């Protein structure tokens, strides 16, 4: 489990590093080409795969800087649950946030940025503390609420050019992930019931 957590946290760091590489290339060499090619365009039936690439693109360096610290902190807190849970949570959040943006943004508007993931990780850590009812999860939940609780207002339309849709549906994706992914206690029981290392079920 410890190795899984370390690998997950390294994965968070790697994702953030990739965002920085893409943005530096796009800002200084490609002049916005990556955003146009890999950003999510609402109601565009030709590029549904951009749901998975848009979170790695950013409008400018200021946009990326604003997302970097909360992405690293909240992503690492989710990663504390293990690599498998982190990857599944990330996938659920990306899909729910992306579909919400695609459906409810203005037709053919372009959305980029990791804020959907940030709000998803926020929602996951809050609800997971309630569901798991374990000391570490409750402590994480309290810390997240204290330091990032005001983020919740970002799910409402407030500022032009800011995708509240990504925030809202990212948050909903995080809640969904926290709810549908099995509790760790149940997974440990499965391990015991199916023979531990030889049975085929492992805690992530």
């Amino acid at each position: 489990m410890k190795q899984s957590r370390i690998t997950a946290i390294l994965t968070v760091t790697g994702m953030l590093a990739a965002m920085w590489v893409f943005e530096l290339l796009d800002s200084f060499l490609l002049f916005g080409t990556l955003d146009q090619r890999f950003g999510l365009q609402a109601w565009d039936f030709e590029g549904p795969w951009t749901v998975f690439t848009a979170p790695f693109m950013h409008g400018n360096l200021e946009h990326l800087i604003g997302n970097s610290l909360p992405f690293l902190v909240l992503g690492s807190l989710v990663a504390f649950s293990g690599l498998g849970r982190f990857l599944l949570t990330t996938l659920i959040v990306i899909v729910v946030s992306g579909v919400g943006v695609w459906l409810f943004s203005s037709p053919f508007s372009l959305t980029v940025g990791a804020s959907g993931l940030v709000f998803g990780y926020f929602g996951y850590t809050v609800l997971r503390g309630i569901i798991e009812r374990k000391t570490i999860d409750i402590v994480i939940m309290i810390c997240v609420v204290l330091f990032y609780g005001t983020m919740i207002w970002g799910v409402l339309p407030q500022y032009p050019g800011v995708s509240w849709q990504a925030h809202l549906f990212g948050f909903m994706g995080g809640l969904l992930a926290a709810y549908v992914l099995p509790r760790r206690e149940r997974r440990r029981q499965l391990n015991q019931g199916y023979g531990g290392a030889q049975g085929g079920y492992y805690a992530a």
Side-chain angles (χ1 to χ4, degrees), residues 97-165:
S97 177
V99 170
V101 168
W102 192 88
L103 285 174
F104 294 100
S105 296
S106 301
F108 304 107
S109 60
L110 188 71
T111 299
V112 294
S115 57
L117 278 173
V118 170
F119 274 78
Y121 294 153
F122 171 70
Y124 174 91
T125 52
V126 171
L127 185 57
R128 204 68 198 174
I130 298 173
I131 292 176
E132 290 284 355
R133 297 181 182 177
K134 297 185 180 303
T135 302
I136 184 62
D137 294 297
I138 293 173
V139 170
I140 289 174
M141 177 188 69
I142 293 172
C143 291
V144 166
V145 171
L146 287 175
F147 285 97
Y148 292 101
T150 55
M151 278 179 51
I152 193 64
W153 301 113
V155 303
L156 301 175
Q158 296 184 70
Y159 306 106
V162 176
S163 178
W164 62 268
Q165 295 92 337

Side-chain angles (χ1 to χ4, degrees), residues 4-191:
S4 179
R5 289 172 178 169
I6 294 173
T7 304
I9 292 173
L10 290 175
T11 301
V12 175
T13 306
M15 290 172 63
L16 181 58
M19 293 176 193
W20 273 93
V21 169
F22 294 146
E23 184 53 37
L24 289 172
L25 287 173
D26 204 32
S27 294
F28 298 106
L29 293 177
L30 302 176
F31 307 107
T33 302
L34 289 182
D35 288 347
Q36 295 296 324
R37 183 72 181 92
F38 296 103
L40 176 59
Q41 194 170 45
W43 294 97
D44 178 12
F45 290 92
E46 296 183 358
W49 51 270
T50 56
V51 164
F52 300 98
T53 58
F56 292 88
M57 304 295 117
H58 287 81
N60 50 48
L61 285 173
E62 183 180 0
H63 184 200
L64 176 57
I65 291 170
N67 278 337
S68 292
L69 183 58
F71 176 85
L72 185 61
V73 172
L74 294 172
S76 296
L77 291 176
V78 176
F80 192 77
S81 298
L83 179 61
R85 188 178 293 269
F86 170 75
L87 293 177
L88 286 172
T89 298
T90 299
L91 178 61
I92 292 171
V93 170
I94 284 178
V95 171
V96 174
S97 177
V99 170
V101 168
W102 192 88
L103 285 174
F104 294 100
S105 296
S106 301
F108 304 107
S109 60
L110 188 71
T111 299
V112 294
S115 57
L117 278 173
V118 170
F119 274 78
Y121 294 153
F122 171 70
Y124 174 91
T125 52
V126 171
L127 185 57
R128 204 68 198 174
I130 298 173
I131 292 176
E132 290 284 355
R133 297 181 182 177
K134 297 185 180 303
T135 302
I136 184 62
D137 294 297
I138 293 173
V139 170
I140 289 174
M141 177 188 69
I142 293 172
C143 291
V144 166
V145 171
L146 287 175
F147 285 97
Y148 292 101
T150 55
M151 278 179 51
I152 193 64
W153 301 113
V155 303
L156 301 175
Q158 296 184 70
Y159 306 106
V162 176
S163 178
W164 62 268
Q165 295 92 337
H167 298 174
L168 173 61
F169 288 98
F171 181 72
M172 292 173 62
L175 297 179
L176 178 64
Y179 183 77
V180 302
L181 294 179
R183 293 178 61 178
R184 289 192 287 270
E185 182 179 2
R186 193 199 318 175
R187 297 180 71 147
R188 284 196 295 270
Q189 291 172 353
L190 286 172
N191 290 346

